[in-house]
Amino acid sequence: LSDKHLIGGYNNLSAKQLGLFYAHKRIIMMGFPSNQQTHLGQPIVQISNFLQKKYRNKYMIYNISEKQYDYSLFDDNVLEFKFPGYPSAPLEIIFSICDSLHAWLNADADNIAVIHCQTGNGRTATLVAAYLSWSGLYKSPKKALQHIAKLRQLSIEQLVIPTQLRYNQYIQALLSGYQPHIKPLKLERMIVNGIPNFDKGNKCRPYVQIFKNASLLYTSIKECQWYSIEDASILFHINQIICGDILIRIKHHNSKDKRMTILRFGLHTGFIQAGNIRLVKAELDGACNNDHFPADFFIDLIFTYINEEE
């Protein structure tokens, strides 16, 4: 990275002080533009002033946070891409954004793109890594993600969560020529191995939710019951047909009648074959660094192909 891209901010504030990071000389990552100063950057007005002074009429902001702000401060040069609930953008949206980014950057050699989610880390890093590899600027999404982590002075684990890393691997497979299948699968059973401690007496009352496109496909809330550490495992009979980008949550219905998400994970069925898929603690959002889960915690997902009638 050239120093000139990190210096020369508005009112003696550099791009880095404003929470703007150059993943490439024409691609900026940042956190959500805010009316209040945060550890990720300065207020929205100062970010607007910086972009307007340095790149007026030559920048486009890609908002993947699902929240809005005053776009007029940026001359309405903002594109929204929404995928509520998903830790990573679904594959179709990732490639739609890559197409849009490529068209914008190729339209004028002086154009730059600014991408942000809420924090400027996980979603943003996953998407930017996908584009950097898709466009040929980096050999692989993994290499691009390592570059971004180094830029942000974070480890990969600090930068992205397990689902985002899984989607980085999907992009890697696709760019290497892998052809995902389009067959729906039936998720017959889910076996939770190890009882997380989220209530008095090392107990948990979990239930499962399955989402697609922010719509609830399945929930086991009616079968919700208490489990203790002595139970060792939990079996959910699901029998739900799924296809494409799926989000699965496990929630805890506590003794105070409140519900909270204790883990989640996203996956794409095109990369899954019938049989048993095991996800260990390190591969589950919310569980990977949480002491409420046993160290040897894992989930088994049992998939089958569906017959013609189904």
Side-chain angles (χ1 to χ4, degrees):
L1 295 175
S2 170
D3 287 343
K4 70 180 181 180
H5 295 301
L6 302 177
I7 302 174
Y10 188 78
N11 289 341
N12 299 318
L13 290 174
S14 71
K16 193 170 183 178
Q17 288 173 314
L18 285 167
L20 309 179
F21 296 86
Y22 286 79
H24 178 266
K25 62 183 180 181
R26 299 176 63 197
I27 301 173
I28 296 174
M29 301 167 55
M30 71 175 184
F32 189 84
S34 173
N35 289 320
Q36 298 179 345
Q37 183 172 344
T38 71
H39 70 287
L40 291 168
Q42 300 295 324
I44 188 171
V45 172
Q46 293 189 26
I47 293 174
S48 168
N49 288 338
F50 175 85
L51 292 174
Q52 295 285 46
K53 181 178 180 180
K54 194 171 180 66
Y55 300 112
R56 179 177 290 275
N57 299 323
K58 297 294 182 181
Y59 69 88
M60 182 66 69
I61 296 175
Y62 289 75
N63 178 3
I64 59 172
S65 71
E66 277 134 31
K67 294 183 179 181
Q68 295 181 325
Y69 43 92
D70 186 358
Y71 292 161
S72 66
L73 291 171
F74 302 96
D75 293 337
D76 292 318
N77 296 324
V78 182
L79 297 176
E80 290 182 352
F81 291 86
K82 296 184 178 182
F83 39 99
Y86 284 101
S88 170
L91 288 178
E92 183 178 355
I93 293 179
I94 288 176
F95 287 109
S96 293
I97 297 175
C98 284
D99 279 333
S100 177
L101 277 167
H102 211 56
W104 169 251
L105 294 176
N106 282 340
D108 190 312
D110 292 327
N111 283 354
I112 67 143
V114 184
I115 300 107
H116 76 81
C117 53
Q118 188 66 29
T119 65
N121 291 336
R123 281 184 169 193
T124 301
T126 306
L127 179 61
V128 172
Y131 176 74
L132 290 176
S133 54
W134 178 86
S135 61
L137 293 169
Y138 274 78
K139 290 183 178 180
S140 71
K142 182 179 179 180
K143 292 288 187 183
L145 201 58
Q146 289 171 340
H147 157 71
I148 294 169
K150 184 177 180 180
L151 170 71
R152 297 301 308 269
Q153 297 181 327
L154 298 171
S155 67
I156 294 291
E157 293 74 22
Q158 291 173 314
L159 182 67
V160 295
I161 57 179
T163 291
Q164 292 158 353
L165 188 58
R166 186 175 301 113
Y167 271 73
N168 183 268
Q169 293 164 351
Y170 288 161
I171 300 296
Q172 174 84 53
L174 289 167
L175 295 179
S176 299
Y178 179 82
Q179 296 291 326
H181 67 78
I182 59 172
K183 296 177 290 187
L185 296 172
K186 180 187 283 186
L187 176 55
E188 284 196 344
R189 302 185 302 280
M190 178 188 298
I191 305 171
V192 175
N193 294 273
I195 308 302
N197 172 20
F198 279 93
D199 222 298
K200 297 176 181 178
N202 295 327
K203 292 183 178 181
C204 185
R205 183 162 54 166
Y207 63 96
V208 177
Q209 294 179 320
I210 302 177
F211 296 88
K212 181 176 175 66
N213 297 331
S215 296
L216 182 65
L217 295 181
Y218 168 88
T219 180
S220 67
I221 183 64
K222 291 182 180 180
E223 293 82 42
C224 191
Q225 60 181 292
W226 286 101
Y227 294 88
S228 65
I229 192 170
E230 291 80 14
D231 292 306
S233 65
I234 305 167
L235 172 62
F236 294 101
H237 292 281
I238 294 177
N239 293 312
Q240 174 67 44
I241 295 173
I242 58 177
C243 187
D245 295 281
I246 299 296
L247 177 69
I248 298 178
R249 292 181 184 271
I250 296 182
K251 303 190 78 171
H252 167 56
H253 190 178
N254 70 17
S255 54
K256 297 181 180 179
D257 203 31
K258 294 183 179 180
R259 303 172 187 181
M260 58 182 288
T261 298
I262 58 175
L263 70 81
R264 67 177 182 179
F265 55 95
L267 53 82
H268 192 289
T269 58
F271 297 82
I272 297 171
Q273 303 298 327
N276 180 52
I277 303 297
R278 177 166 294 182
L279 298 176
V280 299
K281 182 177 177 179
E283 298 173 305
L284 300 165
D285 307 342
C288 55
N289 296 315
N290 193 331
D291 291 337
H292 289 284
F293 293 85
D296 58 353
F297 182 86
F298 64 92
I299 291 176
D300 283 333
L301 305 169
I302 293 84
F303 292 94
T304 59
Y305 296 123
I306 64 174
N307 59 40
E308 187 172 332
E309 182 180 349
E310 290 176 304

